[in-house]
Amino acid sequence: MGTKDFSTQQDTVLVSSKNKQINIISTVETRDKVLIYDVSGREIYQKININDTELLIPDLASNHQPIFIKTVLQNKKVVSTKVLY
């Protein structure tokens, strides 16, 4: 029985939240845009044409709640991440 290497898109984007800052790192592909939504689905942040592998977002206007981060990579793949901010 053979095993295959499983690669998920989640492994290519790392998101961390600490001290009211969100850090988004793309480990494989550069990002095209990042969109952040609150729990009601309202867009609270947008950054387009990034062309970089790391983005630091300081002091996002959000009250201690889950937020949803949609990262669109240059190859048009989309990675969604939920973070408690």
Side-chain angles (χ1 to χ4, degrees), residues 60-78:
L60 185 65
S62 177
N63 300 347
H64 304 292
Q65 66 177 337
I67 56 173
F68 301 91
I69 301 170
K70 179 179 175 182
T71 305
V72 181
L73 303 174
Q74 287 289 328
N75 62 9
K76 302 302 178 203
K77 291 187 180 178
V78 177

Side-chain angles (χ1 to χ4, degrees), residues 11-83:
D11 294 336
T12 63
V13 177
L14 305 171
V15 178
S16 65
S17 172
K18 184 177 181 182
N19 296 330
K20 293 201 156 240
Q21 292 186 345
I22 297 174
N23 193 15
I24 304 170
I25 300 171
S26 177
T27 59
V28 176
E29 182 82 24
T30 57
R31 289 168 312 213
D32 183 40
K33 62 180 141 183
V34 171
L35 306 161
I36 300 179
Y37 302 91
D38 64 10
V39 291
S40 67
R42 183 177 54 105
E43 185 177 292
I44 58 175
Y45 180 85
Q46 176 181 345
K47 176 100 175 171
I48 58 173
N49 297 322
I50 300 170
N51 294 323
D52 199 358
T53 57
E54 187 168 354
L55 176 65
L56 182 64
I57 305 168
D59 203 21
L60 185 65
S62 177
N63 300 347
H64 304 292
Q65 66 177 337
I67 56 173
F68 301 91
I69 301 170
K70 179 179 175 182
T71 305
V72 181
L73 303 174
Q74 287 289 328
N75 62 9
K76 302 302 178 203
K77 291 187 180 178
V78 177
V79 178
S80 298
T81 310
K82 177 181 157 186
V83 175

